[in-house]
Amino acid sequence: MSVPELKIQKTQNSRLADFDFSNIPFGKNFSDHMLIAEYSEGQWVSNEIVPYGNLSLSPATTSIHYAQSVFEGMKAHRDEQGHIALFRPEENFKRINRSGARISMPPVPEEIFLGGLNELIKLDHGWVPKAEGTSLYIRPFMFGTEPFIGVKTPNRYLFVIITSPVGAYYSEDVSVYVDDTNARAVKGVGAAKFAGNYAASLMPVDAARAKGYKDVLWLDAEQHEIVQEVGTMNIFFVKNNNTLLTPALDAGFLPGITRDSIIQLAKYLGYTVEEARWNIHDIVAMIEKGEITEIFGTGTAAVITYINRLGFQGKDYHFDPSKYMVSVLLKDTLVKIQKGIIEDPFGWVKRVL
Ligand code: COI
């Protein structure tokens, strides 16, 4: 399929000079430009980088009514020499098209996703922060735009990339509530980065917050027993300081790119990784025997976030992240690879500038 040549319209009013890089919250500030590509009636009809701004949509836009929307989360990092690199961008490109296929979307061509992203990052390179724990978060997303109220696969879409300088997603260690009543998603859609999965998580997460927890650890939608993910992160348990236990991919939860990176990195560093269908009762039994020494989550936004408390069926299990060793080493190594501080033995880091 032919793809329109990328057009670039630069902003006349850059906000960069006024941006306070000393205090960066997650996801509230956006860089000067965004990429927008439109698909209509079987072809890509436009492909542009334009100044960041509002979209104008019909109130009948299909995705507003029927949630046909998928997204990605990626990061660009600045290394000590000032070079900018993306982390495993091809994996996000492949995943958005897997997610889109599940909800009947046409694929985004590589030239638009990866080609456009590279140009966008080059143009907004000044927005990639330098400080430890910061990066440029990248949010590609795609949604149906046909103005039509009937339920059918629409014939118009927008693919958009916005970017946002960010600090930590979680500013502190996280407590999780194991929800054994609600489900985040069923198999199939659960593995898609599909907007509706995140909408479905909101009410149970609010309920967990009202109980004093920060987030929910989801179980499978059928038995409510098999450990899945946290919703913003994949989950890992460290057993006896040397073995990582994590759910095997089962189409019910997100196949995280950071999850995959941590599995590869842990094996490279000599740890054992067991991917399996972990029953929450077996995990809790291991916790009660003192075998689980660390719990942590992985994600693009969350990087590695330490879990300090797990609540299940009226009992709280406490962990002390200041004593964590395995997850601290994994986080430190991953961040150093991403920031170009140590060699990348995996070929994950893709220099843009
Ligand atoms: C990410 O880690 O990039 C995510 O998409 C998780 C969350 C911010 C929704």
Side-chain angles (χ1 to χ4, degrees):
M1 184 184 296
S2 76
V3 168
E5 203 176 315
L6 181 67
K7 290 194 185 138
I8 301 182
Q9 183 198 331
K10 290 189 188 166
T11 183
Q12 301 301 309
N13 300 300
S14 172
R15 291 170 278 105
L16 185 56
D18 299 326
F19 184 67
D20 179 7
F21 279 94
S22 67
N23 173 26
I24 317 181
F26 185 88
K28 292 191 175 168
N29 302 288
F30 301 96
S31 54
D32 279 331
H33 298 90
M34 61 185 185
L35 179 136
I36 303 196
E38 191 178 7
Y39 177 94
S40 180
E41 310 276 359
Q43 47 187 329
W44 290 90
V45 293
S46 69
N47 180 21
E48 286 186 85
I49 290 176
V50 295
Y52 180 89
N54 292 344
L55 303 173
S56 171
L57 296 169
S58 157
T61 297
T62 44
S63 58
I64 300 175
H65 299 267
Y66 307 122
Q68 194 207 21
S69 175
V70 293
F71 69 97
E72 275 303 320
M74 323 171 55
K75 277 180 176 169
H77 300 272
R78 189 183 289 279
D79 73 15
E80 295 190 325
Q81 289 72 44
H83 296 299
I84 292 169
L86 295 165
F87 186 70
R88 308 188 72 184
E90 313 80 13
E91 298 303 316
N92 299 89
F93 166 64
K94 287 188 232 158
R95 190 171 63 184
I96 200 169
N97 283 334
R98 284 201 307 271
S99 300
R102 177 58 187 83
I103 57 169
S104 208
M105 283 181 172
V108 189
E110 186 172 336
E111 300 94 299
I112 294 182
F113 188 106
L114 291 175
L117 176 59
N118 268 273
E119 295 308 314
L120 184 64
I121 301 300
K122 281 185 196 157
L123 187 60
D124 277 343
H125 66 89
W127 289 87
V128 184
K130 292 190 184 70
E132 200 185 320
T134 65
S135 56
L136 187 74
Y137 186 77
I138 300 163
R139 172 51 61 86
F141 58 105
M142 179 159 160
F143 57 102
T145 54
E146 186 177 343
F148 177 60
I149 294 281
V151 181
K152 70 156 183 81
T153 296
N155 59 23
R156 283 171 60 182
Y157 295 86
L158 281 183
F159 170 71
V160 184
I161 309 179
I162 56 174
T163 69
S164 169
V166 296
Y169 185 75
Y170 292 106
S171 51
E172 47 196 29
D173 301 336
V174 166
S175 54
V176 292
Y177 174 76
V178 183
D179 189 327
D180 59 356
T181 309
N182 299 291
R184 172 186 165 272
V186 293
K187 284 193 179 157
V189 279
K193 212 158 167 61
F194 155 58
N197 294 343
Y198 294 79
S201 75
L202 297 177
M203 179 277 284
V205 170
D206 286 346
R209 289 197 177 158
K211 293 186 181 85
Y213 300 89
K214 181 77 182 166
D215 222 321
V216 165
L217 173 57
W218 299 99
L219 304 177
D220 70 289
E222 295 85 27
Q223 294 166 251
H224 299 287
E225 283 193 347
I226 307 300
V227 176
Q228 301 273 275
E229 62 156 87
V230 177
T232 50
M233 313 188 272
N234 291 111
I235 185 97
F236 286 82
F237 303 90
V238 180
K239 189 176 174 189
N240 297 330
N241 294 314
N242 57 24
T243 302
L244 271 63
L245 315 182
T246 197
L249 298 181
D250 71 352
F253 65 92
L254 192 81
I257 294 161
T258 312
R259 170 191 178 277
D260 179 72
S261 308
I262 288 299
I263 292 172
Q264 292 194 48
L265 189 57
K267 289 180 181 168
Y268 180 81
L269 293 174
Y271 295 109
T272 303
V273 181
E274 292 182 15
E275 295 178 70
R277 276 170 68 79
W278 295 108
N279 188 301
I280 188 64
H281 294 282
D282 296 333
I283 294 286
V284 166
M286 286 189 262
I287 293 176
E288 286 177 342
K289 282 194 259 170
E291 291 173 354
I292 300 296
T293 43
E294 304 176 26
I295 310 182
F296 64 95
T298 61
T300 297
V303 192
I304 282 189
T305 296
Y306 310 121
I307 292 174
N308 59 9
R309 183 163 58 107
L310 183 134
F312 181 54
Q313 297 187 338
K315 271 194 169 173
D316 266 344
Y317 301 92
H318 292 267
F319 292 82
D320 180 359
S322 72
K323 300 206 172 87
Y324 285 7
M325 291 179 308
V326 179
S327 44
V328 170
L329 175 66
L330 289 168
K331 180 175 182 177
D332 186 60
T333 312
L334 178 69
V335 168
K336 283 184 172 149
I337 290 175
Q338 289 174 331
K339 288 254 184 198
I341 297 169
I342 57 174
E343 197 205 331
D344 166 17
F346 305 96
W348 288 336
V349 173
K350 296 286 145 80
R351 168 97 56 96
V352 175
L353 207 65

